Amino acid sequence: MPSPLPMRDGVGATRLHVPLTGAWPTVSAYMVERFFHLDPEWLLQRFDRGEIVTRDGSPVARDAPLGSEEFVWYYREPPTEQAIPFTEEILHQDDHLVVVDKPHFLPTTPGGKFLQNSALVRLRNRLGNPDLAPIHRLDRATAGLLMFSARPATRGAYQLLFENREVQKVYEAVSARPADWDDTRFPLVYRNHIEKPRGQLRVQVDDMREPNAETAIELLGADERVVHTLLRPHSGKMHQLRVHLAAIGLGILNDRFYPELLDDGPDDYARPLQLLARELRFVDPLSGEDRVFTTRRMLAEAPH
């Protein structure tokens, strides 16, 4: 369903499905309850200013009865954003693909308290390309290679590479050296079943179910303080690498989620998660050529 509103500052309008029946007398009453964390009067004023629109772009009135519109569109207006003081580096750009080296702390796409400070919006504005879209994603805390589609017409061909697991992905991680360190375990392959419960920050592991996540783990080096590993995920489950390393006693340095969930707090730019998307390798579905992209970033805690 096309949006009646144009892209603005690299961000498209949000579409909201509104129930046709329910306990709410008006569309605005439903949205006030739906977005309970926002100031109700501020939200109602957005109706009065004509900022909530129907599929033909006409404003939705504050008193529009429930059932009069099934979908409405609006621009997200998050609270004042904290600027992310790191810049993504463009490593490759052609008519179909853009590959960037993403810094730690920068989200791939808008979400939560970040809108303009996301790799997608930054790149849309920087390159003047509103059609830019991510082909895969990295956690906000993870740095390294991130690939974007530049054209809708060829986007599906590249997305299929990831869906069919035809992209070889390589990561690096640095973990605290455990007291019972034993390097004879490596290389190893770790498998388990990971699922993401709705509304929860962390994934859950179910040891009673068939594994759906697999990572090959190699040892790159170690010193008296840390262990440096190379990771080759065969699957792409959320937080997979963080969970797998934590499961073998090598929780990644500065990980606030695994093995224990720490209290939320402001970003500490001096302590980035020591996880890096190092390499992407695949056969280009359009040209047939071998593609290899390698990060220029390094993990600060890696042993020398």
Side-chain angles (χ1 to χ4, degrees):
M1 189 180 300
S3 171
L5 296 173
M7 192 166 293
R8 185 177 72 179
D9 297 329
V11 182
T14 295
R15 185 185 73 184
L16 176 69
H17 178 260
V18 181
L20 295 177
T21 60
W24 310 275
T26 61
V27 172
S28 63
Y30 167 75
M31 291 185 65
V32 165
E33 183 172 318
R34 169 72 172 75
F35 302 108
F36 61 90
H37 56 289
L38 300 176
D39 176 32
E41 187 55 35
W42 175 83
L43 182 55
L44 292 172
Q45 288 174 3
R46 295 202 65 186
F47 279 90
D48 296 341
R49 293 195 296 267
E51 296 174 1
I52 315 294
V53 304
T54 68
R55 69 176 63 202
D56 64 2
S58 58
V60 179
R62 177 197 285 232
D63 58 357
L66 192 75
S68 60
E69 300 295 338
E70 186 175 5
F71 295 97
V72 297
W73 283 259
Y74 58 92
Y75 292 113
R76 285 186 61 223
E77 291 188 0
T80 302
E81 288 186 65
Q82 176 183 351
I84 304 297
F86 308 107
T87 303
E88 67 288 346
E89 179 184 3
I90 296 176
L91 300 180
H92 172 85
Q93 181 180 1
D94 62 32
D95 289 342
H96 307 285
L97 287 180
V98 176
V99 181
V100 302
D101 230 348
K102 185 185 84 66
H104 295 286
F105 303 104
L106 184 70
T108 298
T109 57
K113 58 186 177 181
F114 297 104
L115 186 63
Q116 292 297 320
N117 282 276
S118 64
L120 174 61
V121 175
R122 282 186 178 185
L123 287 167
R124 280 177 175 172
N125 291 330
R126 181 174 171 182
L127 301 177
N129 182 359
D131 291 328
L132 207 68
I135 300 174
H136 65 120
R137 301 191 183 209
L138 290 180
D139 291 341
R140 187 170 85 86
T142 305
L145 297 177
L146 189 55
M147 197 159 75
F148 293 83
S149 163
R151 298 182 61 199
T154 57
R155 183 170 303 150
Y158 291 100
Q159 289 173 329
L160 279 175
L161 291 176
F162 285 88
E163 292 176 16
N164 295 333
R165 298 180 180 177
E166 295 173 355
V167 178
Q168 298 177 43
K169 296 177 285 185
V170 181
Y171 291 74
E172 290 180 41
V174 178
S175 310
R177 176 172 172 153
D180 60 348
W181 170 244
D182 177 11
D183 62 5
T184 63
R185 294 186 296 166
F186 300 91
L188 62 85
V189 175
Y190 191 87
R191 303 178 182 89
N192 65 2
H193 187 96
I194 292 175
E195 56 186 23
K196 173 61 169 66
R198 191 170 185 177
Q200 295 192 24
L201 292 174
R202 302 201 304 170
V203 301
Q204 289 185 351
V205 172
D206 188 343
D207 292 326
M208 303 302 294
R209 299 179 65 182
E210 188 74 17
N212 64 357
E214 176 181 308
T215 305
I217 305 173
E218 304 171 28
L219 181 63
L220 285 175
D223 59 20
E224 67 283 352
R225 189 178 62 88
V226 298
V227 176
H228 189 193
T229 50
L230 186 78
L231 312 167
R232 300 181 188 274
H234 180 64
S235 49
K237 298 298 181 182
M238 181 177 180
H239 294 172
Q240 174 178 322
L241 303 179
R242 299 161 75 169
V243 169
H244 285 181
L245 283 177
I248 63 171
L250 291 177
I252 301 174
L253 283 178
N254 306 327
D255 192 343
R256 301 184 62 85
F257 281 41
Y258 306 94
E260 300 295 332
L261 180 62
L262 304 181
D263 291 337
D264 191 22
D267 290 334
D268 184 348
Y269 296 140
R271 293 172 53 82
L273 178 73
Q274 292 298 284
L275 180 60
L276 176 67
R278 167 174 165 168
E279 183 179 285
L280 291 172
R281 184 186 295 265
F282 57 93
V283 176
D284 192 285
L286 303 183
S287 67
E289 68 176 300
D290 290 330
R291 296 270 206 169
V292 182
F293 299 107
T294 305
T295 183
R296 295 178 184 171
R297 299 181 184 273
M298 299 179 66
L299 293 174
E301 299 289 347
H304 301 292

